[in-house]
Amino acid sequence: MKVNKIKGTLDFYQYDAKKYRYLQRIASGVAESFGFREMITPIFEATEVFVRSVGEGSDIVNKEMYTFIDRGDRSITLRPEGTAPVTRAFVENKLYAIPGIHKFYYFGPMFRYERPQAGRLRQFTQFGVEAFGGEHPNLDADLINLNYQILQAIGIKNIKVLINTIGSGKARENYVEALKLHFEPHLSTLCEDCKQRYQKNPLRMLDCKVDCHSPIMQSAPLVSNYLPEEDLKYFQDVMSALNFFGIPFEKSDRLVRGLDYYTNTVFEIVYDDPNSPLNNLALSAGGRYNSLTRDFDGPDYPAIGFAMGIERLMMVMDELDITVSETKDDTITVITLGEKMKKQGLLLTQYLRLKGKRVEIDYQSHNLKPQFKLADRTGSRYIIIIGLDEFENNQIRIKDSWEKTEILIPVPELTAFFGIEGEKYAYQK
Ligand code: ATP
Ligand code: MG
């Protein structure tokens, strides 16, 4: 029987694998320049890690987790997101003991049991960052700036940055009460999801993709009317800082986030091209979460982060024809003639590979035709030919298939030809 990949997962190979790693490189590089360092956490965690933090009211904990009991009777969950594990690690390893702001980035697969569709997978990849410590509008703005700059560096220019503040504590509780009051008389007209969210997480009702245009959604109270002056001032300052960084953004009164842990600043970056089928696709989302370290029994440590969906970025790269600029691929194929020369070919291959060259060799053929085919298939620029004559005369033949030239040089000159430093190469006789 044929076995296929699990629904909602992807195989990446050839150029897609390159794009995937390219995005990892670009994102990590920009994050490094903003002073972030990598954190690598396990792909599975105790289920508790997510239940405690992401929250029972969230879609993730409610219906999307891959949870199983292991052979030791522990409840284990494949991580659905990266913030909870990084925070768990931050607290567990007492990284907070050193004062200051701690900045981490991560990259890796996440697992959510969702209905697979374009851009919505069951295993997908996130690049995310978390900054622990420091609660200042400049930091919030700089983090949004980082997210924006990563997208710019990839070449994704048409994006919309949406931001909002959802407050915290008592003010947020009051707002949630007001939302419930507003929606209660109209519940029967709303979708099933909304009805559930009304019970579990009323804030999320604003995030409904089914009822978003209904009048009752449009007339819902705004969070800004419920927040204390200092929260509004904080948000104002985030926006001013974004302005001086030159980041275009839109204030979006109804932007909320699906996870329980967010407080105050929240944001989302969506693809923005009304003529594209990808218009409004969420590329990235994040916000401040000031109480998460406490959920893991750590000290109070305000934090902020975001996560980007790598597969979605790959979709946008295709849409915009963004190609991964490669340094010219100077692959070398070593061709040998006659049985006795194969060993010389293999030794030269080994030498060149250890000097960092990408080298191909046919392990068995002694004839030209299949070996030239290999050179062709691997897009080799250089073809080195070792025959008995070359070997006995201590020479080597090098064809440059781009320049369409061919030279016959003494073997020791090969080292300089390929720009290799150090001892000169010689045949092993
Ligand atoms: P939504 O409301 O669309 O489900 P979310 O709140 O679950 O979004 P986050 O958890 O904030 O999304 O994830 C951040 C980013 O990760 C998203 O903007 C998206 O790019 C990507 N992402 C999230 N879920 C998936 C998925 N199932 N498949 C592919 N990418 C995803
Ligand atoms: Mg989701």
Side-chain angles (χ1 to χ4, degrees):
M1 196 187 72
K2 205 169 146 216
V3 183
N4 294 326
K5 62 182 179 306
I6 303 279
K7 222 165 99 175
T9 66
L10 295 174
D11 299 317
F12 293 132
Y13 47 89
Q14 294 168 350
Y15 190 62
D16 278 338
K18 255 193 170 71
K19 270 195 305 203
Y20 184 89
R21 291 301 173 204
Y22 169 79
L23 288 172
Q24 177 179 19
R25 253 191 340 269
I26 296 285
S28 311
V30 180
E32 291 268 349
S33 71
F34 275 64
F36 287 73
R37 295 287 175 263
E38 187 167 21
M39 160 105 65
I40 302 169
T41 64
I43 284 176
F44 55 25
E45 295 272 353
T47 300
E48 189 64 14
V49 166
F50 304 105
V51 174
R52 263 200 211 187
S53 55
V54 179
E56 315 236 24
S58 66
D59 284 353
I60 289 183
V61 170
N62 240 333
K63 51 186 187 196
E64 294 177 356
M65 293 204 301
Y66 278 91
T67 297
F68 61 95
I69 303 295
D70 77 1
R71 288 166 198 271
D73 253 352
R74 301 171 197 92
S75 180
I76 306 279
T77 294
L78 298 185
R79 66 178 181 201
E81 58 98 57
T83 300
V86 170
T87 307
R88 195 259 319 128
F90 178 75
V91 172
E92 183 173 341
N93 296 296
K94 298 193 173 53
L95 299 176
Y96 51 78
I98 304 162
I101 301 183
H102 299 262
K103 300 188 281 190
F104 301 102
Y105 67 88
Y106 60 85
F107 177 92
M110 305 294 162
F111 305 84
R112 296 185 194 175
Y113 195 77
E114 299 208 65
R115 209 152 57 83
Q117 46 190 295
R120 201 167 281 285
L121 297 159
R122 288 184 172 171
Q123 176 176 331
F124 61 100
T125 313
Q126 284 186 335
F127 175 88
V129 312
E130 316 293 348
F132 297 94
E135 184 179 9
H136 195 281
N138 286 343
L139 170 60
D140 295 26
D142 204 24
L143 203 102
I144 298 171
N145 180 27
L146 166 60
N147 198 341
Y148 183 84
Q149 299 307 341
I150 292 173
L151 293 166
Q152 295 293 307
I154 298 164
I156 304 175
K157 314 276 177 193
N158 24 350
I159 47 179
K160 207 155 47 179
V161 179
L162 306 169
I163 71 167
N164 194 18
T165 179
I166 55 172
S168 62
K170 194 72 201 151
R172 166 115 133 247
E173 279 171 33
N174 291 340
Y175 174 60
V176 169
E177 274 316 304
L179 271 184
K180 287 183 87 163
L181 250 124
H182 172 80
F183 284 123
E184 199 194 313
H186 310 279
L187 268 184
S188 59
T189 68
L190 295 173
C191 76
E192 279 314 304
D193 244 8
C194 279
K195 285 179 192 140
Q196 282 209 357
R197 285 171 174 171
Y198 176 84
Q199 298 297 340
K200 291 195 161 161
N201 192 349
L203 201 60
R204 267 310 299 283
M205 292 174 79
L206 298 175
D207 211 11
C208 180
K209 278 140 196 145
V210 181
D211 288 324
C212 53
H213 299 297
S214 81
I216 195 65
M217 209 46 93
Q218 302 287 327
S219 60
L222 296 179
V223 65
S224 48
N225 295 332
Y226 289 80
L227 299 186
E229 205 42 51
E230 57 179 292
D231 280 4
L232 294 174
K233 165 86 170 55
Y234 188 96
F235 188 50
Q236 207 57 51
D237 290 346
V238 174
M239 292 192 285
S240 331
L242 282 174
N243 277 328
F244 70 64
F245 280 131
I247 310 291
F249 64 89
E250 278 176 36
K251 197 163 154 286
S252 169
D253 287 326
R254 287 190 165 71
L255 177 70
V256 291
R257 302 287 310 127
L259 321 182
D260 283 0
Y261 53 60
Y262 284 105
T263 48
N264 300 317
T265 314
V266 292
F267 68 98
E268 190 163 278
I269 302 186
V270 299
Y271 185 61
D272 181 30
D273 176 2
N275 297 319
S276 158
L278 301 185
N279 192 32
N280 280 326
L281 181 72
L283 304 179
S284 175
R288 182 161 274 292
Y289 47 93
N290 282 346
S291 56
L292 202 51
T293 49
R294 242 181 307 148
D295 290 345
F296 290 102
D297 300 326
D300 244 332
Y301 229 91
I304 181 166
F306 67 76
M308 301 196 293
I310 293 297
E311 289 79 2
R312 292 196 184 174
L313 297 180
M314 291 172 73
M315 289 166 71
V316 174
M317 282 179 76
D318 289 345
E319 169 83 3
L320 295 175
D321 277 328
I322 297 174
T323 50
V324 177
S325 61
E326 297 181 74
T327 48
K328 284 213 161 174
D329 194 359
D330 293 354
T331 303
I332 303 167
T333 291
V334 174
I335 290 181
T336 58
L337 291 173
E339 217 168 318
K340 278 169 75 185
M341 290 302 107
K342 197 53 90 186
K343 178 182 158 198
Q344 292 304 324
L346 287 166
L347 288 171
L348 176 58
T349 298
Q350 169 84 342
Y351 167 80
L352 290 167
R353 284 178 176 166
L354 296 183
K355 296 293 182 189
K357 304 290 174 194
R358 181 207 296 255
V359 190
E360 296 280 355
I361 185 165
D362 184 318
Y363 295 105
Q364 56 182 41
S365 300
H366 307 303
N367 302 332
L368 279 177
K369 209 170 157 196
Q371 299 191 74
F372 268 108
K373 258 200 181 146
L374 173 69
D376 205 36
R377 193 167 56 73
T378 53
S380 294
R381 173 175 183 173
Y382 296 106
I383 297 163
I384 295 178
I385 302 168
I386 309 174
L388 201 57
D389 280 354
E390 284 89 356
F391 179 67
E392 281 175 351
N393 297 326
N394 264 327
Q395 290 176 317
I396 199 148
R397 197 176 291 279
I398 305 174
K399 284 173 85 114
D400 182 333
S401 62
W402 293 357
E403 302 293 332
K404 308 250 180 291
T405 54
E406 181 174 329
I407 52 169
L408 183 67
I409 53 171
V411 170
E413 284 180 24
L414 168 120
T415 311
F417 180 90
F418 285 110
I420 295 166
E421 290 178 4
E423 219 173 297
K424 291 192 169 21
Y425 188 72
Y427 285 132
Q428 290 191 26
K429 300 213 167 173

